[in-house]
Amino acid sequence: MSADPPSDPKVRYLRAKESVDDRALHRPTLDRVREAATTGNSLRVFEAGPGAGAMLRRLLRWNLPADVTYVGVDADARMVAAFRDRLPALAREAGYALAADDPIRLSDGSHTVEVTVERGDALGRARGTDADLLVAAAFLDLFDAETALSMLLDGVRPGGLAYFPITFDGETTFLPPGPHEETVIDAYHATMDAPGRSGGSRSGRALLSAVGESAATLVTGGGSDWLVDAQYSDDEAYLCRHLVDLIERAVTRAESEDEPSAAQVPDAVAREWAADRHQAVESGELTLLTHQIDALVRAPPEA
Ligand SMILES: C[S@@+](CC[C@H](N)C(=O)[O-])C[C@H]1O[C@@H](n2cnc3c(N)ncnc32)[C@H](O)[C@@H]1O
């Protein structure tokens, strides 16, 4: 990341996790995506929840077809602004220049990438997009997998591909374990599964089941687990701290609800856990492990 990290904590977190995701992405799946994306004369990409533009950064480094359109739809205006602000740097770093503003066109002389980044609900917006490649990275744990899969596949042309990398799947481990580790982590996962919240802590396997139940087919997939060990970069230390804060907030928020859920953890317990985890980051002793699944899915051919 640049010398000046983004001031917005969520944007900074997403930028910090990019290099961890780069390391974690399941290589055989990524290779299949690259092969499909770089074969042919043109490519239409739709991305649901692109955040700060991590996936476009990866795509621009490939030998893309001459004519590419990319549409990213994120529900959070801060993300849309961060992504748009970053576009000139993303283009430059990949050897492209900004050739036009409205619509935004990036060009390296022989390839043109038309980029649209807009605010909206990607599940609704996907319909009819007719994308060759739909991407939803670190996204599906926010939704019921079956519903989201069906809505997103509506945006893929018959026989086109949908790529779902970094889909969280039920494991968050900090080593060495701190005080109340199991209580806090179990409660954190339970907050994701709370009634009334869509999505869940085992979205990776829910996605695989949903694909099995659908008319689409799984092309390939595999684990994209994070392992962040004690040799932290500044970004990785930030990522660990952000995750600790997020978990502390999640498990204590559950306690303050009128109807306490199974997720509740007393404030003092969560505080002690978080303080210990921050200390372990500070002293370079904390290791973070999480389990995610990448899946590449082919939309059914035209009926
Ligand atoms: C965990 S972030 C992942 C961001 C990015 N894909 C990445 O891997 O860095 C999830 C993103 O989905 C966005 N999001 C959540 N619900 C959405 C929706 N219904 N439509 C579009 N974006 C959504 C969030 O604003 C956020 O940017």
Side-chain angles (χ1 to χ4, degrees):
M1 202 189 293
S2 68
D4 284 330
S7 54
D8 183 294
K10 192 171 164 195
V11 175
R12 180 157 184 210
Y13 167 70
L14 291 184
R15 294 289 304 277
K17 89 181 183 68
E18 275 187 30
S19 61
V20 179
D21 285 345
D22 283 341
R23 256 195 338 252
L25 288 168
H26 185 248
R27 282 297 176 273
T29 306
L30 187 65
D31 288 348
R32 289 296 290 269
V33 176
R34 186 187 351 223
E35 188 190 315
T38 55
T39 306
N41 299 323
S42 66
L43 176 72
R44 279 163 312 191
V45 182
F46 178 89
E47 182 166 12
M55 194 56 75
L56 182 63
R57 178 180 60 77
R58 296 183 188 108
L59 290 175
L60 287 177
R61 279 151 204 264
W62 296 349
N63 185 21
L64 293 170
D67 178 17
V68 178
T69 57
Y70 169 95
V71 176
V73 178
D74 202 288
D76 186 336
R78 290 170 308 164
M79 291 303 150
V80 172
F83 191 172
R84 285 186 185 148
D85 286 352
R86 190 186 180 195
L87 267 174
L90 276 187
R92 208 173 35 248
E93 285 158 17
Y96 285 82
L98 207 57
D101 267 348
D102 191 16
I104 294 169
R105 279 209 186 84
L106 315 180
S107 171
D108 69 353
S110 45
H111 304 83
T112 304
V113 184
E114 186 176 306
V115 179
T116 307
V117 182
E118 59 187 47
R119 186 179 179 195
D121 171 23
L123 295 182
R125 174 69 174 72
R127 190 181 189 89
T129 304
D130 215 27
D132 299 303
L133 174 65
L134 179 140
V135 179
F139 182 78
L140 283 181
D141 61 305
L142 303 168
F143 306 96
D144 170 71
E146 207 176 308
T147 310
L149 176 70
S150 148
M151 293 178 85
L152 291 174
L153 285 175
D154 276 349
V156 183
R157 70 162 168 81
L161 293 171
Y163 178 42
F164 301 107
I166 315 287
T167 306
F168 182 67
D169 195 53
E171 284 291 337
T172 310
T173 304
F174 292 102
L175 297 172
H180 323 292
E181 192 72 48
E182 223 176 292
T183 307
V184 172
I185 297 302
D186 287 353
Y188 168 54
H189 292 157
T191 62
M192 298 183 192
D193 299 321
R197 183 200 185 273
S198 65
S201 68
R202 288 176 167 74
S203 290
R205 64 198 79 176
L207 168 63
L208 298 180
S209 300
V211 173
E213 297 290 311
S214 75
T217 47
L218 181 68
V219 177
T220 186
S224 51
D225 296 1
W226 283 358
L227 171 54
V228 180
D229 71 11
Q231 317 297 317
Y232 314 121
S233 64
D234 287 350
D235 280 351
E236 290 172 345
Y238 183 85
L239 177 142
C240 290
R241 285 200 208 93
H242 184 92
L243 196 57
V244 167
D245 289 343
L246 185 147
I247 292 172
E248 184 188 7
R249 273 199 310 276
V251 299
T252 50
R253 196 164 41 223
E255 192 196 24
S256 65
E257 285 168 4
D258 291 342
E259 299 245 349
S261 73
Q264 68 172 263
V265 172
D267 274 1
V269 167
R271 252 200 319 272
E272 189 188 344
W273 173 84
D276 182 89
R277 304 294 68 192
H278 280 299
Q279 180 53 47
V281 177
E282 197 60 40
S283 57
E285 284 163 12
L286 193 80
T287 294
L288 167 67
L289 268 165
T290 65
H291 177 50
Q292 286 96 220
I293 286 178
D294 295 358
L296 181 64
V297 173
R298 189 174 297 287
E302 205 136 31

